[in-house]
Amino acid sequence: MKLTIPAFVGRIAFSALAALIGAIFALPLLWFLFAPFNARAELGLALPDPWTLNNFVTVFGNSYAVQALWNSFIQAVGGVILVGAAATLAAYALSRSSIPGKGAVTYILLLFSSVVSGSAAMVPIFLIVSAAGLMDTHLAVILTFAGGLLPTAMFILRDFIDSIPKSYEESAMVAGASPVQAFFDVALPVIRPGIVVVVVWGFVNIWGSFLIPFILLRSDSNMPASVAIYSFYSEAGTPIVTLLAAYSLIYSLPVIVLYLFVSWKFGFRFFGGIKA
Amino acid sequence: MASVEFKNVTKSFGEFKAVADVSFDIGDGEFVCLLGPSGCGKTTSLRMLAGLETPTSGKILIGGEEVTHLHPKDRNIAMVFQDYALYPHMNLADNIAYPLKVRGEPVAQRHGRAKEVADVLKIGHLMDRLPSQISGGQQQRTSLARALVYPAKVYLFDEPLSNLDAKLRLEARGFLNHLQRDMGMTAVYVTHDQAEAMALATRIAVMDQGHIVQFASPIEIYRRPATTFVANFVGNPPMNLVEVEGAQVDGKLVLKAEGLTIAGLAMTDAIGKALTASGKLTLGVRPEHLGIAAAGAVNTITAPLFANENMGPESLVTVDRGDSARVTARIFTDDHLDLSKVVTLGFSAEHVHLFDSAGKRIPALGE
């Protein structure tokens, strides 16, 4: 195709503008990549000179911060297992069975999902967890997140399962499988990409959350990384940029690795919750 | 193999009756087609037989045993689905062997059996492929293999050929016919394609709006359609139906319609009864029983030519009697037909079908 000169100039102007906007968004990320390796990192963007791993050494010397990463891991994995298992079973039932009013149930769930783990419900959650004697435990955080994420997870999965023909399970049952066998042999493997989406989404949510663990946990030894980041602030409240940058990079790695793993293994097929 | 029986089976979805008080028997070794337009209740009937739907009322028996409320897995049936329902995460060997897996057969044995069936269906060389890596025709044969891999009492087919292209469909149809001759299986086969039903069935149940309109052998349905609905559904192209005004004159039935010249027909009691109800009758003649005739001859329909389609071994000649009341003739000639603007189509009296004002067949003399 031959471009006319005005169209050609227009293309160049558009590309330049897009590149500029892209650069603006890329700068913080560049900072995020450079600062951890810079012994004198500040808030300005600068190439490390020399490149050093000293910041990481210091961070790993902070046992509280390292323990916090492990805590984040326990809470995220625990929550994700609970959400993944419960949402799969619940969404399957909502999609396949003929419970009257199941449509209403689904939408009410969706409505509540933003409430449970939201800040509006903080006081009741605090009171419930306190009354249950679960204050300052991983379980408190895991259960709260499971409750908060489950409705949306169910909604996403139900939509996903709705789009899978019933004839898979039907053919299995006609061939002699019980409903349970049909679910595990046929339905579950077919639903798996949907479950993976929910699991990744749940993991990212829990891994990155601050408010709930901050409120439900007391002792330093239980705090997740999102809270532990505050140990890299001086007592006056100013950040120690070098350590903060190094810790942030470590903190973000699991999510990136998870994303890459899933996208390599399953291919990312994100399914929206709303059908056309 | 086993017989199948439906006793007053009704299935309602809310107000809508998908299947209304249907009763029929299928003998051991019979291949029965449920034929009808979409929404006539044929698939619902099949799914009730499979146990995938529960009848609102009535009983279903397989081999003399009541199965109305039995789970599909306990019915010992096999089914081929319209979308094949091949498990996307299993290779062909595992797909075909799945029914044996749930029956607890060891891997080596069930894969051996799967290979045997697959070889018969000419997909034996594809056993380690995934369903997404084979063609539509191969997928269809895989789903067939999965149904044939274990001995079932009844084989159910839910429009298994409708996703194939025309040539493959003919090939698969021939194969199913061969299989039926070979195995003598009891089969219930749902289709909306009358040619498929004619080719495969030992008996056809023509369904309309939840009812069975006619349940008879393909020949019977072709020769003596019970209603105008059946007449219009079976045959390619379907039977020509002409609305006529009937009256008894001098002991003969005289039929009148625009462009129609017909000799008086012998009166029978059945015709007399139909006439007392209403003089509005329907005259039916199959396209293959019409030929080009001389203008003004008896037993003819004359109307302006609408279309003249040469199909190779035959020509379809359609005349338009106005208001889209068209009459088509199948003329068996591989010559080009040179026709004038107005065409006269002739038929012989023995090929005339009569239907009363309610669309029911009036038995011909000697029926």
Side-chain angles (χ1 to χ4, degrees):
Chain A
M1 193 176 70
K2 192 129 171 77
L3 282 175
T4 61
I5 291 178
F8 186 66
V9 172
R11 272 292 172 85
I12 288 183
F14 177 78
S15 303
L17 185 69
L20 184 68
I21 294 173
I24 292 172
F25 278 94
L27 284 179
L29 284 174
L30 282 176
W31 179 88
F32 184 65
L33 286 177
F34 291 151
F37 302 98
N38 191 342
R40 295 185 307 264
E42 289 177 16
L43 288 176
L45 182 64
L47 269 181
D49 182 31
W51 291 76
T52 172
L53 291 174
N54 277 344
N55 295 340
F56 291 96
V57 174
T58 317
V59 164
F60 280 113
N62 179 340
S63 66
Y64 166 55
V66 175
Q67 172 70 31
L69 283 169
W70 179 242
N71 291 340
S72 275
F73 186 76
I74 292 174
Q75 289 163 14
V77 169
V80 152
I81 290 173
L82 206 57
V83 169
T88 304
L89 295 175
Y92 186 73
L94 274 178
S95 169
R96 291 299 197 243
S97 67
S98 48
I99 312 164
K102 63 178 184 180
V105 169
T106 317
Y107 284 93
I108 290 170
L109 281 175
L110 187 69
L111 192 68
F112 274 99
S113 66
S114 47
V115 175
V116 173
S117 53
S119 35
M122 275 295 94
V123 174
I125 287 174
F126 183 87
L127 292 176
I128 292 169
V129 168
S130 172
L134 291 173
M135 223 46 188
D136 197 24
T137 60
H138 290 314
L139 192 61
V141 177
I142 290 171
L143 287 177
T144 306
F145 273 116
L149 300 179
L150 199 49
T152 312
M154 277 167 65
F155 190 80
I156 294 173
L157 267 181
R158 191 210 59 150
D159 208 50
F160 185 84
I161 297 170
D162 275 350
S163 70
I164 291 168
K166 267 187 176 179
S167 53
Y168 285 134
E169 296 109 284
E170 286 177 348
S171 76
M173 289 194 286
V174 168
S178 67
V180 175
Q181 269 177 313
F183 175 76
F184 282 106
D185 287 352
V186 176
L188 195 58
V190 178
I191 304 169
R192 201 167 49 200
I195 300 175
V196 168
V197 166
V198 163
V199 162
V200 171
W201 169 79
F203 188 90
V204 170
N205 256 290
I206 303 176
W207 186 262
S209 71
F210 171 76
L211 191 59
I212 287 174
F214 185 65
I215 288 171
L216 297 182
L217 299 175
R218 289 285 154 76
S219 49
D220 285 352
S221 60
N222 280 339
M223 287 296 181
S226 54
V227 179
I229 285 186
Y230 277 85
S231 66
F232 299 108
Y233 278 68
S234 70
E235 270 158 34
T238 49
I240 307 162
V241 174
T242 47
L243 301 183
L244 190 66
Y247 193 64
S248 299
L249 187 64
I250 299 167
Y251 177 50
S252 65
L253 278 181
V255 174
I256 295 169
V257 169
L258 182 69
Y259 175 82
L260 291 177
F261 173 77
V262 166
S263 127
W264 161 67
K265 189 92 190 187
F266 299 93
F268 236 94
R269 298 152 56 194
F270 219 101
F271 291 87
I274 313 295
K275 233 188 237 166
Chain B
M1 303 294 157
S3 61
V4 170
E5 211 176 322
F6 269 54
K7 282 185 177 171
N8 307 98
V9 174
T10 296
K11 175 71 182 178
S12 315
F13 296 102
E15 289 289 291
F16 175 69
K17 275 191 178 177
V19 175
D21 196 25
V22 160
S23 300
F24 60 83
D25 285 327
I26 296 172
D28 196 359
E30 259 198 294
F31 196 113
V32 167
C33 282
L34 303 180
L35 175 66
S38 52
C40 72
K42 57 190 192 299
T43 296
T44 308
S45 301
L46 190 78
R47 290 174 59 82
M48 285 193 287
L49 180 53
L52 300 171
E53 305 274 358
T54 312
T56 312
S57 64
K59 283 183 182 176
I60 298 172
L61 289 82
I62 296 176
E65 279 174 62
E66 188 178 338
V67 297
T68 318
H69 297 284
L70 222 54
H71 190 272
K73 75 180 164 68
D74 300 320
R75 298 188 180 206
N76 200 8
I77 46 174
M79 183 162 172
V80 178
F81 288 75
Q82 182 173 6
D83 60 4
Y84 312 143
L86 299 177
Y87 313 132
H89 57 289
M90 295 185 195
N91 64 20
L92 291 208
D94 285 330
N95 258 292
I96 297 171
Y98 185 73
L100 302 176
K101 185 188 167 200
V102 295
R103 282 166 175 73
E105 276 202 34
V107 182
Q109 248 166 298
R110 63 178 193 248
H111 278 175
R113 174 79 187 122
K115 179 83 167 73
E116 275 173 38
V117 178
D119 280 337
V120 174
L121 292 162
K122 302 204 167 55
I123 45 173
H125 58 294
L126 302 168
M127 295 304 266
D128 50 4
R129 300 267 194 100
L130 289 174
S132 55
Q133 297 164 332
I134 58 176
S135 72
Q138 290 164 341
Q139 289 178 6
Q140 201 276 333
R141 275 178 278 159
T142 308
S143 73
L144 187 58
R146 190 175 59 191
L148 297 175
V149 80
Y150 59 106
K153 285 183 183 167
V154 185
Y155 294 83
L156 311 180
F157 299 89
D158 185 7
E159 311 216 16
L161 308 184
S162 58
N163 288 349
L164 298 178
D165 61 46
K167 192 175 162 232
L168 273 177
R169 195 179 314 166
L170 277 186
E171 202 181 295
R173 194 178 82 188
F175 182 77
L176 279 176
N177 187 298
H178 170 78
L179 204 67
Q180 154 70 0
R181 281 169 200 289
D182 226 34
M183 291 176 56
M185 55 176 157
T186 308
V188 182
Y189 186 107
V190 161
T191 179
H192 61 263
D193 179 351
Q194 57 90 26
E196 241 167 64
M198 294 295 281
L200 290 170
T202 53
R203 277 197 298 164
I204 299 176
V206 184
M207 294 188 73
D208 183 29
Q209 295 175 10
H211 297 275
I212 292 189
V213 188
Q214 189 172 11
F215 190 23
S217 70
I219 297 288
E220 177 74 11
I221 282 185
Y222 175 79
R223 286 193 183 151
R224 284 180 280 276
T227 67
T228 48
F229 175 81
V230 179
N232 200 27
F233 205 82
V234 175
N236 182 30
M239 185 185 281
N240 296 299
L241 297 171
V242 178
E243 299 196 356
V244 295
E245 202 64 51
Q248 187 177 347
V249 180
D250 301 334
K252 289 266 183 189
L253 172 67
V254 175
L255 300 174
K256 278 189 186 149
E258 177 70 28
L260 175 73
T261 317
I262 184 168
L265 296 165
M267 278 298 292
T268 62
D269 291 351
I271 293 175
K273 240 162 93 184
L275 280 182
T276 44
S278 163
K280 288 192 186 306
L281 305 181
T282 304
L283 167 76
V285 184
R286 292 218 173 266
E288 46 274 37
H289 296 145
L290 284 168
I292 305 290
V298 185
N299 290 349
T300 57
I301 298 170
T302 305
L305 182 65
F306 178 77
N308 179 6
E309 302 158 271
N310 190 313
M311 319 285 289
E314 65 190 27
S315 278
L316 294 181
V317 176
T318 306
V319 297
D320 191 350
R321 302 177 53 251
D323 292 337
S324 302
R326 290 180 190 141
V327 172
T328 300
R330 256 176 104 179
I331 310 218
F332 296 90
T333 169
D334 52 5
D335 264 347
H336 179 70
L337 281 174
D338 219 357
L339 298 169
S340 54
K341 278 191 174 159
V342 174
V343 175
T344 300
L345 300 173
F347 52 89
S348 74
E350 62 182 308
H351 289 135
V352 164
H353 303 257
L354 278 177
F355 302 91
D356 66 17
S357 54
K360 288 192 76 166
R361 177 182 186 80
I362 303 172
L365 210 58
E367 266 180 33

